[in-house]
Amino acid sequence: MEKFVREFVTYSNTRQVFQMAGGIYNPGYLIIGNGIKVPVKTWKVILFIDSGKVVDKIYVMMPQSGPGVHQNGDTWREFVVTKRNIENETGLKVY
């Protein structure tokens, strides 16, 4: 995903990217190390901006483990969700 985003901004000085991300924690979440909470899912919202206007959006929610997770390549596309999915899981209002 990072490569995809980086390529968008590389070819023009009028392009920008705005990203928001976070974790989803269930009751009984895993704690590792010195009290670090491990989310069951992570989410990301990416806005692609060109000349000051939003031209595209990506909403992704990835499980912490399972098929296709933490592998090389563009597997992030398998985890694209809707804006509503992100809002329902997080309780946030996103763009």
Side-chain angles (χ1 to χ4, degrees), residues 1-4 68 71-79:
M1 178 185 310
E2 283 74 16
K3 180 181 175 188
F4 180 81
Q71 296 178 1
N72 293 329
D74 287 336
T75 57
W76 65 268
R77 288 181 169 90
E78 299 173 29
F79 302 103

Side-chain angles (χ1 to χ4, degrees), residues 14 20 35 63 79 83 95:
T14 63
M20 298 180 294
F79 302 103
K83 173 185 172 184
Y95 190 86

Side-chain angles (χ1 to χ4, degrees), residues 1-5 7-8 46 48 56 58-63 67-69 71-82:
M1 178 185 310
E2 283 74 16
K3 180 181 175 188
F4 180 81
V5 171
E7 287 175 356
F8 174 80
I46 304 172
F48 296 89
D56 202 2
I58 295 177
Y59 306 95
V60 178
M61 190 166 312
M62 297 180 70
V69 178
Q71 296 178 1
N72 293 329
D74 287 336
T75 57
W76 65 268
R77 288 181 169 90
E78 299 173 29
F79 302 103
V80 172
V81 297
T82 66

Side-chain angles (χ1 to χ4, degrees), residues 4-22:
F4 180 81
V5 171
R6 195 170 30 256
E7 287 175 356
F8 174 80
V9 296
T10 300
Y11 301 109
S12 171
N13 62 1
T14 63
R15 292 180 175 179
Q16 299 175 308
V17 174
F18 179 76
Q19 298 185 56
M20 298 180 294

Side-chain angles (χ1 to χ4, degrees), residues 16-66:
Q16 299 175 308
V17 174
F18 179 76
Q19 298 185 56
M20 298 180 294
I24 306 288
Y25 301 88
N26 285 348
Y29 49 80
L30 178 65
I31 298 178
I32 61 172
N34 195 15
I36 300 169
K37 299 174 185 176
V38 178
V40 294
K41 300 177 197 172
T42 55
W43 60 270
K44 186 178 275 193
V45 174
I46 304 172
L47 305 179
F48 296 89
I49 302 165
D50 193 354
S51 301
K53 296 180 183 176
V54 175
V55 294
D56 202 2
K57 304 170 194 171
I58 295 177
Y59 306 95
V60 178
M61 190 166 312
M62 297 180 70
Q64 187 65 13
S65 62

